[in-house]
Amino acid sequence: MSKEMLNALNTLEAEKGISKEIVIDALEAALVSAYKRHYGQAQNVEVQFDEKKGDIHVYAVKEVTEEVMDSQLEVSLKEAMTINPAYEIGDMIRFEVTPKDFGRIAAQTAKQVILQRVREAERNIIYNEYSAYEKDIMQGVVERQDNRYIYVNLGKIEAVLSKQDQMPNEFYQPHDRIKVYVSRVENTSKGPQVFVSRSHPDLLRRLFEQEVPEVYDGIVEIVSIAREAGDRAKVAVRSNDPNIDPVGTCVGPKGQRVQAIVNELKGENMDIVEWNEDPAVFIANSLNPAQVEDVIFNTDNPKVCTVVVPDYQLSLAIGKRGQNARLAAKLTSHKIDIKSESDMEEFYASYDDGDYDESPEGLQDNLFGEVPAEFMLDANEAAEELSVEEVADPAELEITPDMTADDIENVAFDQEEE
């Protein structure tokens, strides 16, 4: 067995990258357990593997004592001195107790240990390989599915695609080739587990990096993404080169670049908007394709704003079931309330009746605080209740939060006179 054992260890080290020392340590520990199972004694047993000859030796370690109470654990000082006169009480002596038939047990144990180490090494290799793809995109083949997952073959491992990570407008069939985003890789007791997604916003980011070289090189930067997988997405981009248009670069000639991404996502609509350091401009851009007349921020909370749009653009700004407003809020990280110009006129006209505090602070409180229901527009409710109304030349009031009540009254009066 000795020669075969050494050859097996050398082969493992060369082909699988498993260190010989690691296997030997595991083998010695396993042989101690095997000795205990077969011979009922292991608390003072050591197993030593001879790396040069491949031989296995079992030793019983006994303590030198004046009087022997347990012959399996202790040896008398008199007997110890016959072995070596230098032994003293408290010394530990190793006696070889290798059984004659222990070679068979050792061979069986060695086989189990080696197979276990091979499995562990292969798992580690796969884990290290696929953990490098974490937060990246890969192409796989749909293999099968059950009630919980769709299993996607990535080469050396089957990744799992959960229901929440699937796109609602897609139906997956065996042998379909799909691009997936590797959301996380875990090294579990059963081996590496790879979780992938088709609905993750960063899938969109990686697709743009593949299709648009400027994005991959960092010339054009994707600042934020808001996505409702399978239906619509908004992507905010900016250019780090003043000579490059970020939106046009991502769209590509005749829309070829963005169309390739839309095709990969089975027709998911894509809005590419330009990021701006001015939040008002960025919010106006994010509501594209709707036209925005004004953006009024809450002075107490700059993450809350009211957006004023022409009456005939109201439904377009809100979007179907409030989707356009909802995605714009996610993209800009602002709470957005949308009002039509006529609603704003009614709102400011109420000050003439003396129903509200006319100070600038009162204006803010009424605009962003306790506003009557008829003057406040909720995107989700409005999407269901309001329809597009054609309004010719809608009135336009230039109102800003820093204006006093007199300023507001003068602007409204001037507009009336005109």
Side-chain angles (χ1 to χ4, degrees):
M1 169 191 157
S2 58
K3 183 182 251 185
E4 290 81 358
M5 177 70 73
L6 289 174
N7 290 336
L9 294 177
N10 291 330
T11 302
L12 280 176
E13 192 167 35
E15 295 183 1
K16 300 290 185 179
I18 306 173
S19 172
K20 187 191 300 184
E21 288 74 17
I22 293 176
V23 177
I24 290 174
D25 290 343
L27 178 59
E28 290 176 349
L31 288 174
V32 170
S33 299
Y35 185 87
K36 181 179 181 179
R37 285 196 306 271
H38 287 82
Y39 302 100
Q41 182 68 23
Q43 63 264 37
N44 66 325
V45 170
E46 291 182 358
V47 174
Q48 186 174 19
F49 180 82
D50 189 338
E51 295 185 33
K52 294 182 179 179
K53 298 181 180 180
D55 295 334
I56 296 173
H57 302 278
V58 181
Y59 297 96
V61 182
K62 298 182 180 182
E63 182 182 1
V64 178
T65 60
E66 187 70 38
E67 183 179 354
V68 176
M69 305 295 293
D70 187 343
S71 60
Q72 290 185 334
L73 303 176
E74 300 169 338
V75 61
S76 65
L77 178 61
K78 182 179 180 181
E79 184 179 351
M81 293 182 67
T82 60
I83 301 171
N84 189 334
Y87 279 128
E88 297 178 354
I89 293 175
D91 289 343
M92 308 300 292
I93 304 177
R94 300 165 73 226
F95 296 89
E96 184 169 357
V97 291
T98 307
K100 293 182 179 179
D101 62 342
F102 197 65
R104 175 183 59 81
I105 299 171
Q108 184 178 4
T109 304
K111 179 181 178 181
Q112 294 173 350
V113 169
I114 290 173
L115 289 176
Q116 181 184 1
R117 289 295 170 176
V118 169
R119 285 194 297 268
E120 290 177 359
E122 289 176 344
R123 288 175 179 177
N124 288 332
I125 290 171
I126 293 174
Y127 173 76
N128 292 333
E129 178 178 345
Y130 284 92
S131 61
Y133 288 99
E134 194 170 2
K135 311 301 181 188
D136 208 343
I137 195 171
M138 296 188 72
Q139 182 161 307
V141 179
V142 176
E143 290 283 334
R144 56 192 173 89
Q145 70 179 88
D146 56 25
N147 294 330
R148 295 191 304 160
Y149 299 115
I150 288 176
Y151 297 88
V152 182
N153 190 340
L154 297 180
K156 296 181 180 179
I157 195 172
E158 272 190 346
V160 294
L161 181 66
S162 64
K163 289 185 178 180
Q164 60 265 30
D165 287 316
Q166 299 170 22
M167 290 173 58
N169 63 327
E170 285 187 337
F171 298 94
Y172 306 94
Q173 300 294 332
H175 310 299
D176 285 351
R177 287 189 171 274
I178 58 174
K179 289 182 179 179
V180 292
Y181 177 78
V182 181
S183 54
R184 69 183 192 276
V185 182
E186 296 180 356
N187 200 3
T188 67
S189 58
K190 296 181 179 180
Q193 183 74 70
V194 180
F195 296 88
V196 296
S197 175
R198 287 278 292 172
S199 62
H200 200 288
D202 281 343
L203 173 65
L204 205 53
R205 187 186 302 273
R206 300 306 181 199
L207 289 174
F208 270 101
E209 289 176 355
Q210 286 189 348
E211 296 294 334
V212 185
E214 291 83 356
V215 174
Y216 182 82
D217 293 336
I219 300 173
V220 174
E221 181 183 349
I222 296 177
V223 180
S224 60
I225 297 174
R227 185 183 180 206
E228 293 186 359
D231 193 359
R232 190 175 180 183
K234 287 182 179 286
V235 182
V237 295
R238 69 177 175 186
S239 175
N240 295 318
D241 186 337
N243 298 318
I244 292 180
D245 172 25
V247 176
T249 300
C250 292
V251 172
K254 297 182 180 180
Q256 291 177 355
R257 289 176 171 178
V258 72
Q259 190 59 46
I261 297 173
V262 170
N263 293 340
E264 172 62 34
L265 299 178
K266 302 298 185 291
E268 183 175 317
N269 294 320
M270 206 75 56
D271 291 339
I272 302 175
V273 301
E274 185 172 1
W275 178 86
N276 194 290
E277 61 183 6
D278 185 347
V281 177
F282 183 32
I283 290 170
N285 291 344
S286 69
L287 286 168
N288 181 61
Q291 175 188 345
V292 174
E293 294 296 334
D294 197 7
V295 179
I296 306 172
F297 289 93
N298 186 347
T299 54
D300 294 331
N301 186 354
K303 287 294 183 180
V304 177
C305 68
T306 296
V307 176
V308 183
V309 299
D311 289 30
Y312 66 95
Q313 294 273 302
L314 182 59
S315 293
L316 186 62
I318 296 168
K320 186 179 180 182
R321 295 186 299 276
Q323 185 184 64
N324 193 53
R326 187 166 56 249
L327 287 174
K330 290 181 182 178
L331 190 72
T332 60
S333 300
H334 281 73
K335 183 181 182 298
I336 300 175
D337 290 323
I338 301 177
K339 291 187 177 185
S340 65
E341 286 182 322
S342 59
D343 284 339
M344 287 297 292
E345 288 177 2
E346 290 182 27
F347 178 81
Y348 287 117
S350 63
Y351 282 84
D352 294 336
D353 301 332
D355 295 336
Y356 297 98
D357 181 358
E358 297 185 5
S359 67
E361 294 78 10
L363 173 62
Q364 281 287 319
D365 291 340
N366 288 313
L367 186 57
F368 296 99
E370 298 178 359
V371 180
E374 62 267 22
F375 297 141
M376 181 60 80
L377 177 66
D378 180 79
N380 292 323
E381 295 176 3
E384 299 175 358
E385 299 175 2
L386 299 179
S387 59
V388 176
E389 296 180 4
E390 294 294 336
V391 179
D393 299 326
E396 180 179 354
L397 293 178
E398 296 292 340
I399 306 297
T400 59
D402 58 342
M403 295 175 67
T404 65
D406 291 337
D407 293 336
I408 295 170
E409 186 176 352
N410 290 335
V411 170
F413 179 79
D414 292 341
Q415 184 68 36
E416 233 175 55
E417 289 293 319
E418 292 175 6

